[in-house]
């Protein structure tokens, strides 16, 4: 079985998105290695993994709720979205909403 086995062609929607980061960091990593700058090396390696997740998933989640039947007239501020004041689901993978 796969995810498509659980999608009804009459009533359900499925979507996805892809985000990438980190193109072109090799020369900077080489420079950090040559300078024995392990701290900058670690931080730069972590950035492409951590950065793409929150913003696109939050935007995708809000768009999915407005496009579907969950909240077509939703007009929440960023703070309201962060505080989960929306009604319905948060259809986005990877990371939960930030808690201030």
């Amino acid at each position: 079985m796969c995810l498509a086995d659980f999608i009804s062609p009459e009533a359900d929607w499925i979507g996805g998105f892809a985000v990438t980061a980190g193109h072109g960091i090799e020369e900077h990593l080489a420079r950090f290695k040559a300078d024995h700058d392990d701290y900058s090396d670690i931080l730069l390696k972590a950035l492409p993994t951590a950065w793409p997740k929150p913003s696109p998933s939050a935007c995708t989640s809000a768009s999915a709720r407005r496009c579907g039947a969950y909240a077509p007239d939703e007009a929440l501020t960023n703070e309201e979205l962060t505080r989960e004041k929306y009604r319905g689901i948060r259809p986005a993978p990877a990371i939960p909403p930030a808690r201030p």
Side-chain angles (χ1 to χ4, degrees):
M1 297 189 83
C2 68
L3 183 59
D5 293 326
F6 298 95
I7 305 299
S8 165
E10 293 84 27
D12 291 330
W13 290 81
I14 187 168
F17 66 93
V19 177
T20 184
H23 293 291
I25 67 169
E26 292 82 10
E27 67 181 77
H28 299 289
L29 293 175
R31 181 171 38 93
F32 294 146
K33 186 174 183 175
D35 292 344
H36 303 288
D37 186 352
D38 295 334
Y39 183 74
S40 295
D41 181 72
I42 291 168
L43 288 180
L44 186 56
K45 286 178 181 174
L47 187 61
T49 304
W51 176 79
K53 292 178 185 174
S55 296
S57 66
C59 291
T60 301
S61 175
S63 295
R65 282 194 317 279
R66 284 192 300 269
C67 291
Y70 297 107
D73 299 322
E74 181 178 85
L76 300 175
T77 66
N78 285 338
E79 183 175 341
E80 289 170 325
L81 288 171
T82 301
R83 295 183 181 273
E84 298 181 53
K85 299 295 182 184
Y86 51 82
R87 189 168 166 229
I89 63 169
R90 182 174 191 272
I95 195 162
R99 301 261 187 225

